[in-house]
Amino acid sequence: MIEKNFNFFFNPISKTKGIGPKIQKLFNEKKIESNIDLIFNFPYGLIDRTHCPRLNNLEIGKISTIFVKVKKHNFPRIRRLPNTVQCFDDTGEINIVFFNSRENYIKEILPLNSEVIISGKINFYKNKYQITNPDYVTSVNNEDKVSKIMPTYSSLKGVSNKTINKIYENITKNIPDVPEWHRDIVIQNNNWSSFKDSLIQLHNPKKIEDINKNSLAYERISFDEIFSNLLIFSQIKKKNLSIYKKPKVFSSEYKLKIVKNLSFTLTKDQQDIIKEIEDGLKKDKKMLRLLQGDVGSGKTIISIISGLNVVASGFQVALMCPTEILATQHLNLMKSITQELNIKIEILSSGVNKKRQIEIKKELADGAINFLIGTHSLFQETVSFNNLGLIIIDEQHKFGVKQRINLSEKGGKNCDVLLMSATPIPRTLILSTYGDMDISTLREKPFKKTKIITNIIPEKKIPDLINLIKNKIESKQQVYWICPLIEESKKVKLTPVLERFEYLKKYFPENVAVMHGNLKNDEKINVMKDFLDKKFSILISTTVVEVGVDNQNANTIIIENSERFGLAQLHQLRGRVGRGNEDGECILIYSKSISENGKKRLKILKESNDGFYISEQDLKLRGFGDIIGYKQSGEKDFIVADPLYHSHLFELAKQETDLFTEANLPIDKFSTLLKFFKKDKILNIIDTG
Ligand code: ADP
Ligand code: MG
């Protein structure tokens, strides 16, 4: 329910004064489509025209506003020479130079003998001060009308700042009043102004501090955004709690049979979390749980045992993985430990032939399959389950927020959801992305005699690695060699992987294989299978092995151009080794072009093997948008707020949204706010779900 005068915010920008088709197109390219988008595009800086020197006191390069009298016009007849106007005050002279301005226009704005204000950057040419193409010229009578501080906006190609500023002047004048949606106390305690006034302040800064991310106005609007984000999650949570779910009923029979067959004993953390999940499954409310734990902390077995509990209770389970390789690996593990159980496990992915896919879909629909493992293809329209009781998503940060919410709706009311993430997630990010979920954190890593040693070397030492690899191969070990993908003019190039493949083949013929995203699915699986079967010793690969691949015999990982990767990603890659009984070794190669900051980052990795610490450092060094594959899922959750900068606002927003949700009030009060920050679409999914 949007009040009528709020239509202003959602009108297309073309209705705003000063925006014709050309400018509209340029804004649209920046995803600025409605007035509110335009308004949320705050200035990033300002031009200060408060410096008003006399002409004997000019500083070259400085933006200055001068008060002068017009002495002489100079309109040369030679076309390529600019028109100039000579001006003076009591202390000196200056030339105002115009390229591409017509004589008549100049005469009009700078009539002879008039007293004028001119603003622009001072330069010095042929022994004379001048201002070229001044930013503005006006009569001294208008002094109070000129704003000496002008905000600067990100530029539009071929459009002058002046034009952009004019548009913003127009639009901010027309912002309607908006009733306050937050509690008075929240606004007072923070010294915030109203939504409207905050917007106006941000577009009319008096000093640079006024538009900083920590200015009161910027914080207020960021709070609105963070609030709307968390509000959605608390609504989803509330909705889920209101739905009756058929509780799962099972004994420990399956669990005991599995645990008996493991080559290790479960850690206390693993046991506790299995219990936590069991409690969630047995409840009559839908479980939405995120299991986070560092690489190699042993999440897989937790999810398998939880899944088997659900099978024991007569429901089906779907386990979704981001890659086919991982899906196959999980299938193999499950087959090996569930032999004593009479259950049917299948894999569904684009690699499975069409005929078999159809059979599988049929068996799913009639309930013959108990446990389905697969990739994205699990959630195609044509896949329907007989009675799905649990969705497990491995390495879930590869999937986006909307995808995730959609999914939990698709599962139906009896379906619990368990997400797993290998990268420990900072609290701010948890609130902003998983606010609707309960969290289990696996801190303890399985006790291991082995450790991983990390070494950092420059690329010129690559030839030395040949000997190292020879030694590894002699002691029957296998090696990963990772190369980055090179992105050139939007095309991803495989050059580094392929060149390295050729290079290593010279030294180790018949003993190297290559893997990358361009291989067909079954090719990838075959390469991986041959690697596991030790048919070759060196696997050269892009980061497709990053997620979850488990080969206990490969204990060395060499990563080329390591400065190009995120720390969390490097930590993931490093987690591929040291999984068996031997120590792991990780060699990070950097190229000549590494920055000082880049060296610092690699050092963090050498010094720590603690994923929580590493992801915190990564967040500090690289910013929010870059971490844990956020980019890969292609989502940008915030328009205005910066979760790193505004982390303190998350706690407050959480309090406020919980308070509101607990009070059981209709969400209509916030419908405009949600629409401002484009959350209304998610709300629709919940409403109709
Ligand atoms: P991740 O949390 O990264 O998914 P995995 O579940 O793949 O980790 O486990 C990593 C390795 O540790 C696997 O080889 C697994 O068999 C082993 N593992 C899991 N739990 C334990 C345990 N309690 N004791 C010893 N090894 C374990
Ligand atoms: Mg895993």
Side-chain angles (χ1 to χ4, degrees):
M1 187 180 59
I2 306 286
E3 279 180 42
K4 203 162 166 214
N5 65 333
F6 295 159
N7 281 341
F8 163 83
F9 291 108
F10 307 109
N11 280 339
I13 52 172
S14 54
K15 288 198 177 175
T16 292
K17 211 170 135 194
I19 301 188
K22 180 186 146 209
I23 294 185
Q24 181 190 5
K25 191 162 166 264
L26 291 167
F27 271 125
N28 287 172
E29 279 164 14
K30 296 186 168 206
K31 295 229 170 350
I32 294 176
E33 278 158 8
S34 62
N35 283 343
I36 189 70
D37 300 340
L38 197 61
I39 292 170
F40 282 157
N41 180 37
F42 298 127
Y44 66 85
L46 43 82
I47 298 176
D48 185 351
R49 299 183 188 286
T50 52
H51 180 62
C52 305
R54 316 298 324 263
L55 293 185
N56 64 349
N57 221 351
L58 297 175
E59 283 174 58
I60 296 166
K62 187 152 183 165
I63 292 186
S64 306
T65 304
I66 53 174
F67 293 70
V68 291
K69 205 163 171 179
V70 179
K71 183 174 171 188
K72 193 168 168 229
H73 292 153
N74 242 322
F75 301 126
R77 293 298 144 213
I78 305 167
R79 270 190 115 190
R80 59 188 167 81
L81 289 183
N83 292 327
T84 56
V85 179
Q86 226 173 314
C87 298
F88 67 100
D89 70 4
D90 314 344
T91 66
E93 286 203 358
I94 190 165
N95 274 342
I96 312 300
V97 181
F98 293 88
F99 287 92
N100 310 320
S101 286
R102 282 174 300 112
E103 229 177 279
N104 285 346
Y105 171 73
I106 294 171
K107 280 182 185 158
E108 191 185 311
I109 60 166
L110 290 169
L112 282 179
N113 295 319
S114 62
E115 292 185 35
V116 289
I117 307 173
I118 299 172
S119 189
K121 199 193 253 175
I122 306 293
N123 48 42
F124 198 67
Y125 182 73
K126 290 200 172 159
N127 261 329
K128 250 189 129 109
Y129 286 105
Q130 61 179 40
I131 293 177
T132 308
N133 293 340
D135 299 330
Y136 73 80
V137 174
T138 183
S139 151
V140 280
N141 303 329
N142 286 338
E143 188 185 348
D144 50 340
K145 288 201 194 122
V146 298
S147 54
K148 294 220 178 100
I149 294 194
M150 261 173 62
T152 41
Y153 294 90
S154 60
S155 58
L156 292 183
K157 206 168 163 224
V159 182
S160 73
N161 283 344
K162 230 177 185 168
T163 310
I164 297 178
N165 281 41
K166 202 88 216 147
I167 291 169
Y168 274 101
E169 257 169 51
N170 281 327
I171 194 158
T172 43
K173 262 192 297 210
N174 292 321
I175 299 177
D177 285 322
V178 182
E180 184 56 67
W181 36 65
H182 299 302
R183 296 191 302 143
D184 289 345
I185 181 106
V186 173
I187 299 296
Q188 280 163 19
N189 284 350
N190 288 286
N191 281 324
W192 283 333
S193 311
S194 70
F195 182 75
K196 172 183 169 177
D197 288 347
S198 303
L199 294 176
I200 293 177
Q201 284 163 32
L202 286 166
H203 286 287
N204 294 282
K206 301 281 174 284
K207 50 189 182 320
I208 193 75
E209 286 77 18
D210 293 346
I211 49 176
N212 282 349
K213 284 182 185 165
N214 61 1
S215 68
L216 288 175
Y218 203 103
E219 285 206 338
R220 148 88 218 220
I221 306 298
S222 302
F223 181 72
D224 282 313
E225 181 167 32
I226 294 166
F227 179 91
S228 70
N229 192 300
L230 300 197
L231 184 63
I232 288 291
F233 286 129
S234 73
Q235 294 286 314
I236 297 174
K237 206 165 183 169
K238 181 174 139 190
K239 187 194 161 195
N240 282 327
L241 289 177
S242 73
I243 299 173
Y244 171 81
K245 174 195 92 182
K246 196 172 161 202
K248 273 134 202 148
V249 183
F250 50 89
S251 68
S252 333
E253 184 199 339
Y254 277 23
K255 179 166 73 177
L256 295 176
K257 279 188 178 159
I258 295 273
V259 169
K260 199 177 67 185
N261 286 339
L262 293 176
S263 58
F264 49 79
T265 46
L266 296 171
T267 64
K268 171 144 191 327
D269 254 14
Q270 283 173 320
Q271 292 175 26
D272 288 350
I273 291 177
I274 290 170
K275 176 82 179 40
E276 228 166 42
I277 297 170
E278 284 175 354
D279 291 345
L281 297 172
K282 287 176 176 167
K283 280 206 183 106
D284 63 358
K285 302 284 180 247
K286 217 171 155 127
M287 177 185 77
L288 285 174
R289 184 167 290 276
L290 171 70
L291 165 55
Q292 58 164 348
D294 206 351
V295 234
S297 58
K299 295 181 293 295
T300 315
I301 192 66
I302 295 180
S303 69
I304 289 177
I305 290 175
S306 306
L308 292 173
N309 279 331
V310 172
V311 172
S313 74
F315 281 95
Q316 290 170 303
V317 176
L319 166 58
M320 179 157 86
C321 313
T323 65
E324 190 116 9
I325 297 174
L326 206 53
T328 313
Q329 184 179 298
H330 287 332
L331 178 75
N332 293 340
L333 174 65
M334 280 204 71
K335 288 222 157 131
S336 73
I337 58 176
T338 57
Q339 280 160 358
E340 287 176 38
L341 312 178
N342 183 23
I343 66 170
K344 192 163 165 61
I345 308 166
E346 281 296 339
I347 189 163
L348 181 65
S349 68
S350 49
V352 175
N353 76 47
K354 290 274 157 350
K355 190 166 156 254
R356 183 71 197 119
Q357 283 194 24
I358 293 169
E359 282 167 19
I360 290 177
K361 285 177 191 170
K362 194 179 157 291
E363 289 169 18
L364 269 180
D366 62 27
I369 294 174
N370 305 107
F371 202 120
L372 184 69
I373 304 177
T375 53
H376 295 75
S377 44
L378 286 197
F379 295 96
Q380 304 158 12
E381 293 281 323
T382 53
V383 176
S384 65
F385 292 83
N386 181 287
N387 60 347
L388 187 60
L390 176 66
I391 297 174
I392 305 168
I393 305 182
D394 196 9
E395 307 291 348
Q396 61 80 37
H397 59 278
K398 299 275 168 182
F399 303 95
V401 177
K402 286 203 188 88
Q403 240 175 329
R404 208 194 68 220
I405 292 173
N406 249 326
L407 194 74
S408 80
E409 296 297 329
K410 184 168 175 152
K413 69 181 176 57
N414 284 326
C415 186
D416 295 304
V417 178
L418 176 63
L419 306 184
M420 298 197 284
S421 175
T423 315
I425 307 169
R427 174 154 171 86
T428 324
L429 194 63
I430 291 220
L431 285 178
S432 67
T433 319
Y434 307 98
D436 55 332
M437 314 204 72
D438 296 319
I439 314 285
S440 296
T441 303
L442 198 50
R443 289 189 182 275
E444 181 187 11
K445 283 198 193 177
F447 171 75
K448 284 221 176 112
K449 290 176 285 296
T450 62
K451 54 183 184 304
I452 305 175
I453 297 148
T454 300
N455 287 312
I456 305 174
I457 64 167
E459 64 186 351
K460 62 172 191 266
K461 293 211 170 150
I462 287 180
D464 299 355
L465 294 176
I466 301 297
N467 258 334
L468 179 132
I469 296 178
K470 275 191 182 139
N471 290 337
K472 298 279 174 190
I473 292 177
E474 267 164 30
S475 57
K476 302 262 178 306
Q477 294 267 315
Q478 290 169 294
V479 176
Y480 293 102
W481 188 305
I482 310 295
C483 298
L485 288 170
I486 303 288
E487 219 173 299
E488 245 170 50
S489 55
K490 296 209 171 149
K491 270 209 185 118
V492 176
K493 289 178 89 174
L494 289 167
T495 330
V497 204
L498 299 179
E499 281 178 4
R500 191 53 66 205
F501 180 50
E502 292 306 319
Y503 173 83
L504 289 172
K505 243 184 1 196
K506 275 191 262 163
Y507 296 93
F508 306 97
E510 309 290 305
N511 212 358
V512 198
V514 67
M515 176 142 81
H516 51 72
N518 281 12
L519 295 184
K520 293 212 184 71
N521 272 328
D522 48 345
E523 289 173 325
K524 276 189 234 165
I525 286 170
N526 284 338
V527 172
M528 212 53 225
K529 188 167 177 304
D530 289 348
F531 192 47
L532 283 169
D533 293 344
K534 308 190 182 110
K535 292 204 176 134
F536 61 89
S537 304
I538 310 166
L539 177 64
I540 311 199
S541 173
T542 57
T543 54
V544 285
V545 299
E546 164 199 348
V547 283
V549 169
D550 193 24
N551 176 0
Q552 305 203 348
N553 193 52
N555 277 317
T556 305
I557 186 162
I558 297 168
I559 306 171
E560 229 177 301
N561 277 122
S562 54
E563 74 276 7
R564 285 171 178 258
F565 296 94
L567 285 190
Q569 199 180 15
L570 288 173
H571 182 60
Q572 280 273 322
L573 283 164
R574 177 168 67 176
R576 295 311 109 225
V577 300
R579 292 181 157 248
N581 297 321
E582 307 279 337
D583 282 348
E585 181 168 3
C586 170
I587 298 171
L588 302 175
I589 305 173
Y590 61 86
S591 72
K592 286 195 292 281
S593 58
I594 190 170
S595 64
E596 276 311 306
N597 201 24
K599 281 187 188 155
K600 253 192 235 161
R601 293 177 49 232
L602 294 186
K603 244 178 103 193
I604 291 171
L605 217 63
K606 184 178 166 74
E607 282 160 5
S608 172
N609 201 12
D610 172 355
F612 280 88
Y613 175 76
I614 291 169
S615 80
E616 252 166 42
Q617 296 301 314
D618 206 18
L619 190 67
K620 278 192 195 141
L621 288 167
R622 304 217 317 168
F624 191 79
D626 275 347
I627 115 162
I628 54 169
Y630 226 60
K631 270 193 172 160
Q632 293 152 343
S633 62
E635 273 181 47
K636 185 171 174 281
D637 260 23
F638 293 94
I639 303 166
V640 176
D642 177 339
L644 257 188
Y645 223 90
H646 300 122
S647 55
H648 58 292
L649 298 176
F650 278 79
E651 299 298 332
L652 180 60
K654 171 102 177 74
Q655 269 172 38
E656 291 301 303
T657 52
D658 283 352
L659 206 66
F660 174 78
T661 303
E662 276 158 26
N664 254 325
L665 298 169
I667 196 167
D668 294 12
K669 181 180 170 196
F670 297 109
S671 52
T672 313
L673 173 67
L674 292 172
K675 202 167 168 196
F676 282 158
F677 293 103
K678 312 208 183 304
K679 304 291 176 204
D680 49 323
K681 296 213 176 68
I682 301 188
L683 200 62
N684 290 341
I685 306 180
I686 316 173
D687 280 349
T688 55

